[in-house]
Amino acid sequence: MNRINKKLQETKKIFSIYFSAGYPNLNDTVQIIQDLEKNGVDMIEIGLPFSDPLADGPTIQASSTKALHNGMTTQVLFDQLKDIRKIVTIPLVIMGYFNPMLQYGIENFCQKCAEIGIDGLIIPDLPVDVYADEYKATFEKYGLKNIFLITPQTAVERINFIDSVSDGFIYMVSSASVTGSQTGFGAEQADYFKRISDMNLKNPQIIGFGISNKETFNQATQYAKGAIIGSAFIKHLTQNGTGKIKEFVEEII
């Protein structure tokens, strides 16, 4: 069974962390993953830096730009992660934009992910219908879960379609904004979380965008299986380097 599916079967709420590979320094990637697992994080999204990240707010964009300047590329990331499964057991997801994957070759990219032990991909700019028509068979061949995003504006029909072609979790974007721009959740977002929860989709939901502390994590996971923290963790890395990951995680869980 895929590690994502196994993790989702656990009764606890899922705490996932996103960070940009190659940030703050090029060779920090593996150490950060190890430290996050060691301190209780359930799943990690490894950001593959891209020069035009449409969904990312200024914090993640800045970390992505720095990682690119540090020398991070698709091949460098794969080289860094080649032995990751000797030391890490939790689900690992690569989050990135479609262009670098297309340049690498979709089949080659998926094959490499499978060899390394990557469990899934989040590709914000790959439309679900294009995925279903052209790439689903390749992803499934290599045992990769493709995670799709929904927002408060996503139509019910599209949510149901995403649910039908998914076999992992659905990434619920908390609001119609870029990452890192929220400081808390209001009644409108709580209504959205409840509305999706009441749809009883076959795939559990994990909420991202705007989760920055224990309070927002608890708000999000009231209606969802888990929550993802990205910008707040990257700010922590910017301010503290990689030495205080334990303190960051302990403030959330």
Side-chain angles (χ1 to χ4, degrees):
M1 181 188 285
N2 183 287
R3 279 174 284 259
I4 293 172
N5 299 105
K6 202 175 284 186
K7 181 60 70 175
L8 290 167
Q9 288 181 354
E10 295 178 9
T11 53
K12 71 177 298 249
K13 297 294 186 180
I14 303 292
F15 177 26
S16 183
I17 286 270
Y18 167 93
F19 75 99
S20 299
Y23 182 84
N25 300 299
L26 180 63
N27 294 314
D28 287 338
T29 311
V30 171
Q31 188 63 55
I32 290 171
I33 293 169
Q34 271 189 285
D35 288 350
L36 288 172
E37 179 181 50
K38 188 172 68 180
N39 289 294
V41 170
D42 299 297
M43 182 164 61
I44 299 171
E45 291 174 22
I46 304 159
L48 178 59
F50 181 53
S51 55
D52 189 22
L54 300 174
D56 298 332
T59 300
I60 291 177
Q61 277 196 28
S63 69
S64 188
T65 300
K66 176 72 160 56
L68 290 171
H69 288 160
N70 288 345
M72 180 51 69
T73 65
T74 303
Q75 190 58 54
V76 168
L77 178 60
F78 284 150
D79 290 344
Q80 287 181 350
L81 297 179
K82 68 181 189 304
D83 296 321
I84 196 71
R85 284 302 171 197
K86 293 178 181 174
I87 51 175
V88 169
T89 62
I90 59 172
L92 299 176
V93 175
I94 288 181
M95 184 168 185
Y97 292 85
F98 196 51
N99 189 274
M101 300 178 192
L102 207 55
Q103 288 182 342
Y104 197 85
I106 298 302
E107 179 103 18
N108 290 339
F109 191 93
C110 290
Q111 184 176 0
K112 202 72 184 164
C113 285
E115 285 172 11
I116 288 165
I118 298 298
D119 303 291
L121 298 172
I122 301 172
I123 312 168
D125 58 342
L126 175 60
V128 62
D129 36 3
V130 174
Y131 166 75
D133 291 343
E134 298 182 33
Y135 301 112
K136 189 170 189 280
T138 305
F139 277 55
E140 289 177 348
K141 175 181 170 183
Y142 293 105
L144 293 169
K145 306 299 178 184
N146 198 19
I147 313 301
F148 289 99
L149 283 69
I150 63 170
T151 74
Q153 285 70 41
T154 306
V156 170
E157 296 78 13
R158 193 159 187 83
I159 292 171
N160 284 322
F161 180 56
I162 285 170
D163 192 42
S164 73
V165 301
S166 299
D167 179 30
F169 65 91
I170 292 172
Y171 189 131
M172 272 180 73
V173 176
S174 66
S175 62
S177 62
V178 294
T179 57
S181 59
Q182 293 286 313
T183 53
F185 298 128
E188 192 178 328
Q189 281 151 321
D191 289 346
Y192 160 57
F193 298 161
K194 185 175 186 305
R195 172 169 64 85
I196 302 301
S197 175
D198 289 346
M199 287 180 72
N200 293 315
L201 302 171
K202 76 177 172 77
N203 291 279
Q205 300 89 58
I206 296 182
I207 296 175
F209 291 48
I211 322 290
S212 60
N213 52 31
K214 193 180 187 72
E215 181 190 0
T216 45
F217 179 84
N218 290 339
Q219 280 181 300
T221 53
Q222 186 180 346
Y223 293 108
K225 177 63 181 172
I228 301 155
I229 294 182
S231 296
F233 179 63
I234 288 171
K235 284 177 185 170
H236 179 83
L237 289 176
T238 304
Q239 292 161 4
N240 302 286
T242 58
K244 294 189 175 178
I245 287 174
K246 183 174 189 278
E247 288 85 339
F248 181 87
V249 175
E250 284 178 346
E251 284 179 9
I252 311 294
I253 55 176

